[in-house]
Amino acid sequence: MNDVEGGAVSALRVLVLCTGNSARSQIAEALLTSRGAGRVLAASAGVDPAPRVNAFAEDVLRDAGIDWTGRTPRGMDAVLAAPWDIVISVCDHANEVCPVFPGAPVRVHWGLPDPAHVEPETARRAAFRDTFDVLSARVDALLSLPLSGMDARSREAALKAIAGPP
């Protein structure tokens, strides 16, 4: 994560939430950070953070040229007070228990199944690749939007449309 705690940052501030902050949210943060450099300040957090980032998530990011080693899952308390423009939940549990963030950021749900629970291991690797591909397309769609020129309602509608129908 970049500078979560504040400072004079003019970039769009995007927070991605999940349960464990070890797979889906880490992948989304990595994609936002690498592809949105200079335009997006991204972070991720979990409702019940895992002890480490899932090795399959690190592998799929490495395969895409993003070194994400050494990252540690963080809990909601680490990001709750920071000002966010957009909060994206990528799992149903995080969406259900998402707290109210200061400043009324746009909140959207981009729910995806947890690839870490797929068995056997060969299928789990494919599930992580699929998760990466979906999040990659969604992040690219987000980054293609003229978000800074949109009002909150238009921004929310555009971001919800990226996830497709519920």
Side-chain angles (χ1 to χ4, degrees):
M1 165 52 210
N2 302 330
D3 174 27
V4 182
E5 296 307 317
V9 177
S10 61
L12 186 69
R13 297 177 61 93
V14 181
L15 175 63
V16 186
L17 302 176
C18 201
T19 299
N21 189 225
S22 65
R24 294 164 286 185
S25 55
Q26 290 283 340
I27 292 169
E29 178 189 355
L31 288 165
L32 285 161
T33 297
S34 66
R35 295 179 184 173
R39 297 183 306 146
V40 173
L41 178 63
S44 63
V47 174
D48 183 21
R52 66 176 305 273
V53 174
N54 189 295
F56 290 99
E58 290 176 347
D59 289 347
V60 77
L61 289 166
R62 188 178 311 102
D63 290 348
I66 302 170
D67 181 13
W68 207 246
T69 55
R71 302 296 176 130
T72 304
R74 74 180 81 222
M76 300 284 284
D77 56 336
V79 298
L80 191 56
W84 301 106
D85 299 305
I86 299 169
V87 175
I88 301 168
S89 55
V90 291
C91 79
D92 292 340
H93 180 64
N95 186 46
E96 292 166 5
V97 300
C98 185
V100 174
F101 285 88
V106 170
R107 260 202 8 82
V108 296
H109 181 54
W110 287 0
L112 293 168
D114 188 351
H117 292 127
V118 173
E119 293 292 340
E121 184 175 315
T122 53
R124 188 176 323 129
R125 286 191 185 284
F128 269 88
R129 167 52 60 198
D130 292 344
T131 298
F132 175 89
D133 291 345
V134 169
L135 287 170
S136 178
R138 290 178 181 179
V139 164
D140 287 348
L142 180 153
L143 294 173
S144 73
L145 294 171
L147 294 170
S148 61
M150 300 170 85
D151 63 42
R153 179 173 278 164
S154 299
R155 185 183 281 183
E156 181 179 13
L159 292 169
K160 283 181 176 181
I162 289 170

